[in-house]
Amino acid sequence: MTKAHTTVGLLAAATLAASGYFAHQHLTTPAAPMEAITLYDPGDPREVAGSADDIFHGTVLRQAGRRTIDDTPSDRYEVRVGHVFKGRLSGTVTVTQPVGEAPLTAGKKYVFTTAAWKNPQREHAVLSETRPTPAAQLDSPSGAGQTIAKLWQHAVDHQIDVTPHQ
């Protein structure tokens, strides 16, 4: 065997070993958790209103279990829709929020800012980086110098669309 054949053989073996190593690393190393990217400021009700499909005051009826949606473990709640600020929801809907968030309490009322999941269950997910706001009554103070109802109606009436336009 010539020196050239030996060199080619060693290069082929090294390439095969490196490919195997990188394939093993890729298949056995867990992926880094994905960070949520929002285009809106979750502290600005007008930007939240511009990003939400639905904003409503509702009563949690019960926790309806857990499920994983788009790789996100989520708690599911049945919620009776009360006053609607944005959208056309009515009756009872299922609202999801990521596991680890403060649990919602059956019988309590909240203001929900949600986006509709495009799935057969017609669930509504709490918008990323927002939380259902406890709101026993719509005429309760919002902390912003006005009632909860006025805060959210103003936010919907003056919502800011933060979707990038091309």
Side-chain angles (χ1 to χ4, degrees):
M1 205 188 221
T2 67
K3 187 174 182 179
H5 284 117
T6 303
T7 302
V8 169
L10 288 173
L11 284 173
T15 301
L16 184 59
S19 297
Y21 172 78
F22 288 117
H24 174 75
Q25 287 296 102
H26 177 72
L27 295 174
T28 60
T29 302
M34 190 173 90
E35 291 187 23
I37 298 173
T38 58
L39 298 175
Y40 54 89
D41 174 358
D44 184 337
R46 295 180 316 141
E47 287 189 18
V48 170
S51 301
D53 292 330
D54 301 284
I55 300 174
F56 63 98
H57 183 250
T59 305
V60 174
L61 300 176
R62 69 180 187 97
Q63 184 174 12
R66 286 191 171 161
R67 63 177 281 157
T68 299
I69 305 170
D70 290 342
D71 298 325
T72 302
S74 300
D75 288 322
R76 300 170 68 235
Y77 296 91
E78 286 184 10
V79 177
R80 184 176 54 244
V81 176
H83 183 83
V84 175
F85 297 101
K86 181 179 180 181
R88 296 178 181 254
L89 295 180
S90 63
T92 300
V93 298
T94 300
V95 174
T96 65
Q97 73 173 5
V99 168
E101 297 296 335
L104 303 178
T105 304
K108 295 231 174 176
K109 296 179 181 186
Y110 300 84
V111 172
F112 294 88
T113 56
T114 67
W117 281 106
K118 307 299 186 228
N119 66 11
Q121 292 80 20
R122 297 174 28 115
E123 295 168 325
H124 300 269
V126 172
L127 282 185
S128 180
E129 298 185 33
T130 69
R131 307 291 170 265
T133 307
Q137 302 298 321
L138 289 174
D139 60 356
S140 300
S142 69
Q146 56 190 340
T147 67
I148 290 168
K150 286 183 180 178
L151 170 82
W152 284 107
Q153 194 59 60
H154 180 269
V156 169
D157 291 345
H158 300 90
Q159 60 190 288
I160 299 172
D161 181 5
V162 295
T163 306
H165 299 284
Q166 299 178 6

